[in-house]
């Protein structure tokens, strides 16, 4: 089949493109940044917020659409960040949803940040009330609202809530990438809050597989492992892969930094028959190796 992937030049998008190609699907890869040319992938360089005829035609003809374009990151503090979050998370989704025929299976990336952390001493369930702690999370709540009419009508739309994704190609602003860079530069690792805080780290390859497997389902679905690890465990994984004892610098966490995240994975398991396992060390090894692979490849 032919699958349109938006945000295809990004961290999750490029992993989804690789996964779809490995399955033998054809891909139309949309991004406003350049997407690498490869067999079976038709790149379209376009901004989803501008009415692009190539994008419109691609989603009209697609067998399925996975929408990953967006403005990620809770720690973005640049002055225009709220405008970019509205534009690239909410408005881009409005435009894409409007252009996609109702019967075409669609997966839209929201985020686990809509929960405001695991607030009830248990894993976050899709039916829990949203409690966004900052501008990024609030923009994802609005992104989900864009999909509400289709969800309520039972159209094949999945609003996916990924939990901290790790692995090759991770964005440089994310914690594990920052820590790898810090060690390489001989600097301490900055950790926000404490080493006891937890994250439901989820392997990017398993996220790509889950997002693809969700095509054709309906509803809101957590994409996590259901097995939170402490930030201390993650620091140790980075240190062991790079063969150093990391120096850690604990800094106060900002108000939009949730204490703990934890996915209830029952719905994901029901719909796809699989739940990400996430081997922390393996994912960090691939993250560390990825730039070297790019250099030789
Ligand atoms: P990323 O920044 O690596 O990729 C996003 C891509 O979208 C970029 O290549 C960017 O150029 C493109 N883009 C943004 N706005 C666009 C527009 N208007 N038109 C065309 N292209 C546009 O981010 P990522 O980490 O791959 O995240 C992908 C999605 O998943 C985002 O919506 C993010 O909020 C969500 N998410 C990510 C994580 C994570 O851990 N990485 C967790 C939860 C949710």
């Amino acid at each position: 089949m032919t699958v349109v992937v938006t945000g295809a030049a990004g961290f999750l998008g490029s992993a989804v493109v690789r996964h779809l190609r490995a399955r033998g699907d054809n891909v139309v890869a949309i991004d406003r940044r350049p997407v690498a040319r490869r067999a079976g992938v038709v790149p379209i360089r376009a901004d989803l917020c501008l009415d692009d005829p190539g994008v419109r035609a691609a989603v009209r003809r697609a067998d399925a659409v996975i929408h990953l374009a967006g403005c990620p990151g809770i720690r973005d503090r640049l002055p225009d960040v709220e405008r970019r979050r509205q534009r690239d998370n909410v408005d881009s989704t409005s435009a894409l949803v409007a252009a996609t025929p109702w019967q075409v299976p669609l997966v839209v990336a929201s985020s686990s940040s809509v929960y405001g952390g695991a607030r009830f001493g248990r894993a976050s369930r899709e039916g829990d009330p949203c409690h966004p702690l900052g501008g990024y999370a609030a923009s994802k709540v609005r992104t989900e609202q864009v999909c509400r009419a289709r969800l309520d009508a039972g159209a094949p739309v999945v609003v996916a809530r990924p939990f901290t994704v790790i692995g090759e190609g991770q964005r440089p602003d994310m914690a594990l990438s920052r820590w790898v860079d810090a060690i390489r530069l001989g600097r301490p690792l900055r950790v926000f809050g404490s080493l006891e805080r937890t994250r439901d780290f989820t392997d990017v390859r398993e996220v790509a597989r889950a997002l693809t497997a969700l095509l054709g389902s309906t509803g809101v679905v957590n994409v996590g492992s259901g097995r939170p690890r402490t930030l201390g465990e993650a620091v140790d994984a980075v240190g062991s892969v790079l063969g150093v004892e990391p120096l850690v610098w604990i800094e106060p966490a900002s108000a939009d930094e949730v204490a703990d995240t934890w996915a209830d994975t029952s719905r994901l398991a029901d719909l796809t028959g699989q739940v990400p396992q996430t081997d922390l060390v393996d994912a960090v090894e691939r993250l560390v190796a990825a730039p070297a692979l790019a250099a030789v490849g």
Side-chain angles (χ1 to χ4, degrees):
M1 65 181 188
T2 297
V3 184
V4 166
V5 179
T6 77
F11 171 38
L12 270 58
S14 51
V16 167
V17 171
R18 283 193 295 275
H19 177 74
L20 289 167
R21 284 305 299 142
R23 280 190 354 163
D25 295 308
N26 292 315
V27 178
V28 179
I30 300 175
D31 204 296
R32 66 182 170 207
R33 295 193 292 172
V35 180
R37 274 190 181 277
R38 51 187 289 188
V41 178
V42 176
I44 298 182
R45 191 161 177 193
D47 188 319
L48 291 173
C49 296
L50 306 176
D51 188 24
D52 185 286
V55 170
R56 264 191 280 121
V59 292
R60 214 171 36 237
R61 289 192 211 115
D63 297 306
V65 176
I66 301 181
H67 174 50
L68 302 169
C71 177
I74 66 152
R75 264 174 243 113
D76 188 337
R77 311 271 181 229
L78 293 173
D80 67 338
V81 64
E82 285 309 326
R83 182 193 64 77
R84 286 183 288 111
R85 284 172 174 155
Q86 174 63 33
R87 186 183 190 285
D88 294 332
N89 290 340
V90 189
D91 299 345
S92 83
T93 305
S94 296
L96 184 87
V97 167
T100 306
W102 275 61
Q103 74 279 6
V104 173
L106 171 63
V107 168
V108 171
S110 175
S111 164
S112 61
S113 65
V114 298
Y115 291 117
R119 295 184 300 131
F120 305 111
R122 56 159 173 77
S124 300
R125 301 174 188 143
E126 291 86 347
D128 287 343
C130 288
H131 185 69
L133 294 187
Y136 170 70
S139 76
K140 286 297 186 180
V141 172
R142 299 197 298 280
T143 302
E144 295 194 358
Q145 282 160 359
V146 168
C147 304
R148 183 47 54 198
R150 287 194 190 207
L151 288 172
D152 290 347
V157 175
V158 166
V159 168
R161 293 176 175 168
F163 284 63
T164 313
V165 186
I166 59 171
E168 62 273 30
Q170 196 193 43
R171 297 195 326 269
D173 60 293
M174 297 183 70
L176 268 56
S177 289
R178 287 191 293 101
W179 295 344
V180 168
D181 287 347
I183 288 179
R184 284 177 167 155
L185 293 168
R187 294 186 183 147
L189 278 53
R190 291 165 64 217
V191 171
F192 300 112
S194 84
L195 288 169
E196 281 70 50
R197 288 188 160 206
T198 58
R199 290 290 176 271
D200 194 322
F201 293 108
T202 312
D203 188 318
V204 68
R205 292 185 182 179
E206 296 178 288
V207 171
R209 192 179 60 206
L211 295 174
T212 307
L214 285 168
L215 285 169
S217 297
T218 302
V220 179
V221 185
N222 289 338
V223 178
S225 73
R227 293 190 303 137
R229 323 291 166 89
T230 64
L231 296 183
E233 285 176 84
V235 165
D236 289 346
V238 172
S240 79
V241 169
L242 290 175
V244 296
E245 186 72 47
L247 272 174
V248 174
W249 188 304
I250 310 282
E251 294 185 14
S254 57
D256 51 10
E257 191 89 43
V258 306
D260 302 292
T261 67
W262 183 6
D264 183 305
T265 55
S266 335
R267 194 172 286 178
L268 180 65
D270 285 350
L271 292 173
T272 69
Q274 276 178 324
V275 172
Q277 297 301 304
T278 309
D279 179 331
L280 209 48
V281 170
D282 180 61
V284 173
E285 277 172 351
R286 289 174 4 237
L287 165 62
V288 167
L293 286 176
V296 292

